[in-house]
Amino acid sequence: MRSSLPLLILLSCLMAGCEKDDPPLPDYTTGEIELAGGDNQSGVFGEMLADPIRLNVHSKNPNDRFYISYKHTQGNGYVGQDTLPGWFPVYADSANPEHSVKWRLGCDNTTQKVTFYLHPFSISNPLTLAAPVDSVTVSASATKPAGWCRACGYGSLDFVNSKVITYDQQTLYMVNNKLYVSTDGGLNWYPVTLPFADQIVDAQFNSKGWMYLVTQNEGVYYSADKQHWQAINGGLIDRRDPTGFLAEDNSLFISFYFDGPYRSTDNGSTWQKMVVGNSSERQYGFTRHPDGRLLMLDKWNDLYVSGNNGDTWQKTELPYKYRNYQVYDLQVDATGKVYTGAGDATLSVFDLDSFEGETHSHYEWNANAQSVTNITLAPGDIFYQVNYNPAPGVYSKSANWGRLDLGFGQAINYYFRKQNGKFLLGSNNFLYFRE
């Protein structure tokens, strides 16, 4: 007869919690980080260092896993493309032990430093890193170029939603998905602390200096001091994908891709939907004529005019020569002249009532969708952006409606003209500054 003793022993062990010879967990607390190259380089403000920063990670157990985080301890540059959440995973003493990262220098200090920290691996959320077990600091010296300099502190530009605005001509604000501020003319930018995380798509000031931010999904926020922010969305139904916005002292106007247009006369406490013919969404280009009439465009490029602040609207079809496929920008100057930036790289100037005017086309036959945007009205002049033609850049009336030579050797995708006549230029996802 077979003995049942082994089975009894097994059951007893299971019940009593007998010790098992499980392999010990790896000890991730003994790692070391070593700087293998890239220290003490010299470079130019806003530019990548010539050589990458090379880091080695060692541990007593081969292929132990760690995280490396980094912090700019001096200077406002960035590591890599700064698309990572401030850390990246690594393995110690693997077949390729070196971990290389690029460092783009900042613009606020001639001596700059980045510290890299080594963190133990954790199976929990790596966004909450364990305390570092080792660190190493990398230094570099930076100089300011004589000509155009890549601005710093904002990462890279999203030209779809990026814009620079100012109220007092001293402090500049930039929308670049988030909100940034500059007090040195646009060379250095710093993030503004906001009570929300939604993407910002537009920003405007009224004549009092109150600032309004339009978000991708959460509606409108405003601040009278740029420090305390308040959501002003009473009555807005579908706040996704705003298409147009105008901030005035006594009225606010907004429209969304799926809902609108709306008007508020109590600074956003309540919004009322405006009735605009058979169309009730996707309005844009809100602007005010000096005689008080309100203008806007709809998704079909039809012009609507209201003489009673949006209570009723009169639809007017723009002559095709003024809207060439699509109107991208609508402005009105102090004399009442209307400006449209449209397809075929066309700028138009005309009278609102007679529609008599002139067009200036910069279209060239290169099979691209060319356009005019960013019309900027200045005393005695007008500036505008021509996109996607063979010579994209800043054009002006004072240059006989031609392209300005700004001494900038790259394609220009965006510009902001400061009150002193100096420009900030956007090119290849970066903003450039020149004194």
Side-chain angles (χ1 to χ4, degrees):
M1 181 176 180
R2 181 176 297 176
S3 174
S4 61
L5 183 59
L7 178 60
L8 293 175
I9 294 175
L10 175 61
L11 292 174
S12 298
C13 287
L14 290 175
M15 294 177 65
C18 293
E19 294 183 0
K20 297 188 298 182
D21 293 330
D22 291 335
L25 293 175
D27 180 9
Y28 293 126
T29 63
T30 59
E32 295 180 352
I33 186 170
E34 173 192 15
L35 178 60
D39 195 16
N40 294 320
Q41 295 186 69
S42 298
V44 176
F45 279 2
E47 299 294 337
M48 287 284 191
L49 287 174
D51 297 325
I53 309 303
R54 307 199 316 275
L55 304 169
N56 285 336
V57 176
H58 304 293
S59 176
K60 68 178 182 180
N61 299 311
N63 293 317
D64 278 353
R65 188 177 182 185
F66 296 87
Y67 292 110
I68 292 179
S69 69
Y70 50 89
K71 180 180 179 181
H72 298 276
T73 49
Q74 190 167 320
N76 63 344
Y78 65 89
V79 172
Q81 296 298 318
D82 257 6
T83 56
L84 299 170
W87 56 267
F88 53 92
V90 296
Y91 289 91
D93 301 304
S94 61
N96 298 301
E98 282 194 359
H99 307 280
S100 296
V101 292
K102 299 289 288 184
W103 180 12
R104 187 180 296 280
L105 295 175
C107 303
D108 62 346
N109 207 306
T110 56
T111 300
Q112 304 188 23
K113 297 179 180 180
V114 175
T115 300
F116 294 89
Y117 301 91
L118 186 68
H119 302 264
F121 171 76
S122 172
I123 60 174
S124 62
N125 187 350
L127 292 178
T128 305
L129 296 174
V133 296
D134 198 11
S135 66
V136 65
T137 297
V138 188
S139 300
S141 59
T143 57
K144 188 175 181 180
W148 287 99
C149 176
R150 194 188 309 243
C152 299
Y154 56 88
S156 61
L157 285 187
D158 172 10
F159 286 118
V160 175
N161 294 316
S162 294
K163 65 180 294 187
V164 177
I165 63 172
T166 184
Y167 173 71
D168 59 9
Q169 303 299 327
Q170 300 297 320
T171 303
L172 306 181
Y173 290 88
M174 177 169 60
V175 172
N176 185 37
N177 295 321
K178 299 179 181 180
L179 184 68
Y180 297 84
V181 63
S182 174
T183 57
D184 60 3
L187 177 61
N188 289 285
W189 297 88
Y190 300 93
V192 176
T193 301
L194 298 171
F196 59 89
D198 196 21
Q199 177 185 359
I200 302 172
V201 298
D202 195 11
Q204 293 183 24
F205 287 105
N206 66 10
S207 68
K208 302 175 184 178
W210 295 0
M211 192 175 194
Y212 296 83
L213 302 179
V214 183
T215 68
Q216 183 68 29
N217 299 291
E218 297 182 13
V220 186
Y221 288 78
Y222 111 96
S223 174
D225 59 8
K226 276 74 77 181
Q227 296 181 7
H228 303 89
W229 297 89
Q230 178 181 345
I232 49 173
N233 299 309
L236 296 178
I237 299 173
D238 192 336
R239 304 194 292 262
R240 296 173 296 164
D241 302 319
T243 58
F245 180 71
L246 176 63
E248 297 180 321
D249 291 352
N250 299 315
S251 300
L252 305 175
F253 301 89
I254 196 168
S255 188
F256 301 90
Y257 192 85
F258 300 103
D259 191 25
Y262 287 91
R263 176 188 64 188
S264 174
T265 55
D266 57 8
N267 199 40
S269 295
T270 58
W271 294 84
Q272 294 181 334
K273 186 177 289 191
M274 297 182 290
V275 178
V276 186
N278 295 323
S279 178
S280 61
E281 75 278 344
R282 304 185 200 178
Q283 271 74 24
Y284 68 103
F286 295 105
T287 189
R288 184 76 70 173
H289 194 278
D291 67 9
R293 286 180 289 178
L294 185 66
L295 282 64
M296 71 177 182
L297 295 159
D298 71 2
K299 58 187 176 183
W300 309 113
N301 293 318
D302 291 323
L303 178 67
Y304 286 81
V305 181
S306 175
N308 50 21
N309 204 40
D311 290 338
T312 59
W313 295 87
Q314 180 180 356
K315 175 182 175 181
T316 302
E317 289 191 12
L318 283 175
Y320 181 77
K321 63 181 179 179
Y322 297 148
R323 59 183 174 91
N324 285 354
Y325 302 106
Q326 174 72 47
V327 177
Y328 297 96
D329 198 0
L330 175 69
Q331 301 291 333
V332 181
D333 69 14
T335 69
K337 292 293 184 181
V338 179
Y339 298 78
T340 58
D344 279 0
T346 301
L347 176 83
S348 301
V349 187
F350 57 90
D351 180 80
L352 180 59
D353 298 306
S354 67
F355 288 102
E356 294 181 356
E358 57 184 309
T359 63
H360 302 277
S361 178
H362 307 282
Y363 179 82
E364 295 190 29
W365 296 92
N366 65 342
N368 283 330
Q370 302 169 26
S371 61
V372 165
T373 58
N374 198 7
I375 300 172
T376 301
L377 305 174
D381 209 346
I382 173 175
F383 301 88
Y384 53 100
Q385 174 75 41
V386 175
N387 306 288
Y388 310 121
N389 78 343
V394 185
Y395 288 64
S396 80
K397 178 181 179 181
S398 61
N400 195 26
W401 305 103
R403 186 176 188 269
L404 294 177
D405 182 5
L406 299 176
F408 187 75
Q410 305 179 51
I412 299 172
N413 309 116
Y414 174 80
Y415 79 93
F416 173 77
R417 184 177 182 271
K418 295 183 283 189
Q419 188 180 43
N420 62 6
K422 303 288 186 177
F423 286 86
L424 297 175
L425 299 179
S427 178
N428 298 320
N429 300 114
F430 291 101
L431 191 70
Y432 289 83
F433 166 94
R434 186 175 187 176
E435 290 183 329

